[in-house]
Amino acid sequence: MTYTAADTPVGSEPEAKAFDAMQCMADLSRALVVAASPINRIVLSRIAERACLKTASMDPGEAAHKLATPQAGAPQPGMIILDLDTAFQDHDEVLAQIETRRRISPACLPFVVAVVATLQQVDLQSSAFDATVERPVTPETLQPVIERLLATAKAA
């Protein structure tokens, strides 16, 4: 059995390289919005779309599964907007999958923007986030953060 850089078992060496290559292909024009609340998913998606990103939105369980099992040839998000509200209790699995992708990616992608109730809510996991945005989230607060991260990636 062969293991990828993320210690994920795969059947053979070529399969391991293909798995790693799939996970490294982050598309900066795509964003994944992860929130427990359907309303928050819609609001955050619309703001990301105003920043010219193509969005997909999912609940935390669905996002953890999608991040754990990337499909060959499917574009991977270059940014993940993670709503850490009180209903989002199972964020450890999603954060673990994101951290795995960032370790594999040469550019440490995807970018991760955490939406929190208060900045004090951000604990030891803050190193997993590229930016945090405090509620209430408006286009005026989130869109400049998205644009700054994208500009940083394009300048590099």
Side-chain angles (χ1 to χ4, degrees):
M1 176 104 6
T2 305
Y3 290 84
T4 66
D7 296 327
T8 305
V10 290
S12 65
E13 189 68 32
E15 197 175 313
K17 288 180 182 175
F19 185 83
D20 283 347
M22 267 192 300
Q23 294 222 7
C24 289
M25 296 185 309
D27 182 355
L28 288 173
S29 69
R30 297 187 176 274
L32 174 63
V33 175
V34 181
S37 162
I39 294 171
N40 289 355
R41 287 195 295 264
I42 292 169
V43 169
L44 295 172
S45 292
R46 295 299 178 259
I47 294 171
E49 288 168 0
R50 285 181 61 165
C52 299
L53 295 175
K54 297 174 189 141
T55 62
S57 60
M58 299 177 184
D59 63 59
E62 185 181 6
H65 177 72
K66 180 182 182 341
L67 292 170
T69 56
Q71 295 177 340
Q76 302 301 313
M79 181 172 295
I80 297 177
I81 302 171
L82 199 58
D83 183 14
L84 298 176
D85 65 1
T86 55
F88 188 5
Q89 298 297 325
D90 301 329
H91 63 276
D92 290 337
E93 187 174 345
V94 173
L95 288 174
Q97 294 300 327
I98 292 170
E99 191 60 36
T100 298
R101 283 178 178 265
R102 289 173 66 125
R103 253 194 336 265
I104 292 170
S105 170
C108 291
L109 294 175
F111 289 120
V112 181
V113 178
V115 176
V116 296
T118 63
L119 291 179
Q120 289 79 23
Q121 181 185 351
V122 180
D123 57 4
L124 298 175
Q125 298 167 345
S126 63
S127 64
F129 308 134
D130 294 294
T132 55
V133 176
E134 190 174 10
R135 282 193 190 84
V137 179
T138 64
E140 291 76 23
T141 58
L142 181 57
Q143 190 172 344
V145 171
I146 293 170
E147 290 170 348
R148 178 179 48 84
L149 290 171
L150 293 176
T152 302
K154 289 177 184 174

